Amino acid sequence: MRAPNLLVTILVAGLLAGLAASVFHTIFTEPVIDQAITLEEMRHGAGAQAEEPPVVPRDVQKIGLFVGWLALGWAFAGLVGGSYGVARRQGWVGPGWMAPVAIAVGGYLVFALLPGLKYPANPPGVGSSTTITIRQEMFVAVWLVGLVGALAAAIAARTVRASLPIKAAVALGVFTAWAAVVMVALPTNPDPITMPLDLVGQFRVYSLIGLTLFWAVLGLCFAWVATRTANIVPMQGAR
């Protein structure tokens, strides 16, 4: 794929994925956050909230939600696009729609599903300021070891001389085994749950659904736009 076409693909896919995730979270997740903030205010009292107003007002946070997801959309679209471009130049994949989708699935497993299962997101009011650093380090660690697992899965799939479904099954099996080790080996979140469990559970489910929607739109849009801009037959699979 030529560089201008790849850039257009990244911009369009990242934009649509970021918009899809931000609209979803605006409709479903933001009301849960508002509930959590209300509970936190009730716990500490209205006086404490008046003395220490939020650093960023809620209306600004809701605007920032769109800005943040759009930035993530372009960043991860760049990652998917760069990986796809390198794979095409090296002859590792063919020109069909399956390669971009497979790369997006790998990104979802590494950057969304594995971290979301090991360190699920928490609403405001859960988490101590004294553990922010260690929690950030643990989250980055799960990303890094997830990338190692994805690389091992890709190498294993390329080593197997078989059809694409078999290669995909091998890659998924290797990554699943690696993820099981990661789930056991990495430490757990040190913060206790101080919010109602149903509220925390709802927030975590919406967070994971939003990430799933983000990567699904990113992968499918990238594959569709890449196919259209390169004038490739849509049903032609990767080699």
Side-chain angles (χ1 to χ4, degrees):
M1 183 184 296
R2 295 179 180 178
N5 289 339
L6 182 59
L7 179 60
V8 170
T9 301
I10 291 172
L11 292 176
V12 172
L15 173 66
L16 294 178
L19 283 176
S22 55
V23 169
F24 173 85
H25 284 303
T26 297
I27 297 174
F28 295 99
T29 312
E30 284 296 316
V32 179
I33 294 176
D34 289 335
Q35 293 180 44
I37 292 175
T38 299
L39 290 175
E40 186 70 3
E41 290 175 350
M42 293 173 60
R43 180 192 304 172
H44 293 287
Q49 294 296 323
E51 294 176 2
E52 298 182 7
V55 177
V56 180
R58 283 293 291 146
D59 54 348
V60 177
Q61 291 179 21
K62 292 178 180 181
I63 296 173
L65 173 72
F66 282 82
V67 176
W69 276 106
L70 288 177
L72 282 176
W74 284 319
F76 281 119
L79 177 63
V80 173
S83 301
Y84 178 65
V86 170
R88 284 294 308 277
R89 285 195 298 271
Q90 296 297 323
W92 296 337
V93 298
W97 56 271
M98 296 180 69
V101 170
I103 294 172
V105 168
Y108 169 71
L109 293 175
V110 171
F111 296 109
L113 186 60
L114 182 58
L117 294 177
K118 180 60 183 178
Y119 301 121
N122 288 317
V126 177
S128 170
S129 59
T130 61
T131 62
I132 290 178
T133 300
I134 184 63
R135 284 186 282 123
Q136 290 175 339
E137 291 174 350
M138 291 189 304
F139 202 84
V140 172
V142 77
W143 273 12
L144 294 177
V145 295
L147 282 171
V148 173
L151 180 61
I155 293 174
R158 279 189 52 80
T159 304
V160 175
R161 294 182 176 274
S163 62
L164 282 175
I166 299 299
K167 286 178 176 288
V170 169
L172 184 59
V174 170
F175 187 83
T176 300
W178 180 260
V181 174
V182 171
M183 294 289 290
V184 174
L186 290 183
T188 59
N189 192 324
D191 290 328
I193 302 299
T194 56
M195 285 279 176
L197 293 180
D198 57 342
L199 183 67
V200 174
Q202 190 177 22
F203 180 83
R204 290 177 172 179
V205 168
Y206 286 155
S207 296
L208 191 55
I209 291 176
L211 286 168
T212 304
L213 177 64
F214 173 84
W215 281 98
V217 173
L218 180 62
L220 293 176
C221 287
F222 190 96
W224 187 82
V225 176
T227 301
R228 298 281 293 185
T229 55
N231 295 319
I232 300 167
V233 179
M235 293 306 295
Q236 182 179 352
R239 284 180 274 199

